[in-house]
Amino acid sequence: MPREAFVNGRYVPHAQAAVHIEDRGYQFADGIYEVVTLHNGALIDEELHLDRLERSLGELRIAMPMSRAAMKLVARETIRRNGVSNGIIYMQITRGVAPRDHKFPHKTCPALVMTTRQMKPHSAKLLAEGAKVVTVPDIRWSRCDIKSISLLPNVLAKQAAAEEGAYEAWQVDADGFVTEGSSTNAWIVTGDGKVVTRAAGHEILNGITRISLIKLIESQGYTLEERSFSLDEARVAKEAFITSSTSFVLPVTQIDDTPVGNGHPGILTGKLRRHYFDFMTSAGDPI
Ligand code: PDD
């Protein structure tokens, strides 16, 4: 099935999908995005993703390119045209096309692009061994809660991970606390079984997987602490894991050169991963 993308009102062959060189996303990274999981033909937490999309747009004073209902229709049609059942849909909205000038242009329509792709499940090796993370200084701006397409520090962090053969890079703030991964939220499990993740604020993206997992943790009766944890605390944690729309709940078994716990994926992490998959299987919106 040939791939198609939605670009500013039209479905076009993926290979020819293009935006204008004066799109402000291209020139200023003046835009936002969302990545929504498709699990067995169902969209996971679509409403929460659209809530965050609208919030990010509001923070940047970019208008919705179309109504929320129309966005949902376009997402479904893009998925249908590409025959995707397990993977992601990517939505990007920029302030639009205008002659290059930093301040907001007058009367420019926001630009909307959607693409979708099938994704393979995580490899058995990754799941059996868990992920390695490296650590990097968090050099990002002070509004990481906005899902901005301006991702250079995240790109550099993920590249640093790749060069070390690691899956992810955890970013560490000036006080030695882990903020989040380059494209995931960071979690640890303490020696006494408490699940810890940084509180939502301007320093991290409030992951949708994070939000849904918090609900599952609470409903399953585990103890959750939303607070900052230091790299030192993470190094001696019993378990660690990351969450995102593409990683789901993925065990972390090594932080830089230090094994986490016994160096194997944590038992509680495994349970949470299974709870999350059960949730995805039961709670998705069929398209
Ligand atoms: N990344 N933190 C950052 C910096 C992220 O980029 C992401 C998502 C997350 C997790 O958010 P969610 O659970 O809503 O996926 C946390 C997406 C998947 C990406 O950039 O591809």
Side-chain angles (χ1 to χ4, degrees):
M1 191 178 258
R3 285 186 76 192
E4 284 187 38
F6 178 85
V7 184
N8 293 326
R10 291 189 308 141
Y11 297 96
V12 292
H14 193 269
Q16 283 137 44
V19 294
H20 193 273
I21 54 165
E22 286 198 311
D23 186 288
R24 290 178 62 94
Y26 182 60
Q27 295 197 330
F28 295 114
D30 187 0
I32 61 95
Y33 73 106
E34 279 297 327
V35 176
V36 185
T37 307
L38 256 165
H39 180 71
N40 296 341
L43 284 164
I44 307 304
D45 279 332
E46 182 186 27
E47 297 297 342
L48 290 180
H49 279 281
L50 290 174
D51 287 347
R52 186 172 66 186
L53 178 139
E54 290 198 43
R55 179 181 182 277
S56 295
L57 288 175
E59 293 298 312
L60 300 180
R61 291 192 278 151
I62 298 175
M64 276 284 270
M66 57 178 66
S67 70
R68 188 163 166 140
M71 293 267 298
K72 288 175 158 184
L73 283 178
V74 171
R76 280 162 179 71
E77 180 62 9
T78 306
I79 291 163
R80 194 191 62 75
R81 284 173 181 248
N82 288 277
V84 176
S85 52
N86 285 287
I88 55 147
I89 178 142
Y90 176 83
M91 311 171 177
Q92 176 174 309
I93 299 168
T94 68
R95 204 179 300 276
V97 175
R100 187 176 184 283
D101 182 359
H102 289 63
K103 65 182 180 294
F104 297 172
H106 297 295
K107 292 190 193 146
T108 294
C109 295
L112 170 64
V113 167
M114 287 199 205
T115 55
T116 182
R117 77 184 154 96
Q118 190 78 15
M119 285 176 73
K120 291 197 181 80
H122 295 133
S123 73
K125 185 174 186 294
L126 178 63
L127 293 178
E129 293 178 1
K132 173 182 171 184
V133 302
V134 297
T135 56
V136 296
D138 194 337
I139 57 168
R140 298 174 302 165
W141 71 330
S142 313
R143 290 306 307 273
C144 299
D145 56 310
I146 300 171
K147 200 160 171 59
S148 154
I149 57 171
S150 173
L151 288 170
L152 259 187
N154 310 59
V155 167
L156 296 177
K158 191 75 100 190
Q159 180 61 22
E163 287 173 7
E164 294 296 322
Y167 181 91
E168 178 60 301
W170 276 7
Q171 303 171 97
V172 180
D173 70 16
D175 299 319
F177 291 99
V178 175
T179 51
E180 60 181 334
S182 69
S183 62
T184 58
N185 288 114
W187 305 67
I188 56 168
V189 179
T190 60
D192 57 355
K194 292 186 181 118
V195 186
V196 182
T197 195
R198 194 173 176 118
H202 286 180
E203 306 81 23
I204 65 164
L205 183 76
N206 190 2
I208 303 302
T209 320
R210 175 188 178 283
I211 293 172
S212 286
L213 191 67
I214 286 175
K215 286 186 211 145
L216 289 174
I217 288 169
E218 287 173 341
S219 69
Q220 294 295 326
Y222 300 113
T223 308
L224 174 81
E225 283 184 1
E226 283 187 79
R227 61 163 173 88
S228 299
F229 60 87
S230 67
L231 182 53
D232 288 341
E233 184 179 4
R235 285 204 187 101
V236 296
K238 191 169 163 195
E239 303 182 19
F241 63 93
I242 52 177
T243 57
S244 79
S245 300
T246 50
S247 296
F248 314 118
V249 176
L250 193 67
V252 168
T253 48
Q254 192 179 333
I255 302 172
D256 295 321
D257 293 327
T258 310
V260 177
N262 61 9
H264 296 290
I267 290 170
L268 183 51
T269 302
K271 287 184 184 163
L272 294 178
R273 183 176 168 90
R274 283 191 291 280
H275 285 308
Y276 191 72
F277 270 81
D278 290 347
F279 158 76
M280 284 202 292
T281 304
S282 61
D285 299 316
I287 62 160

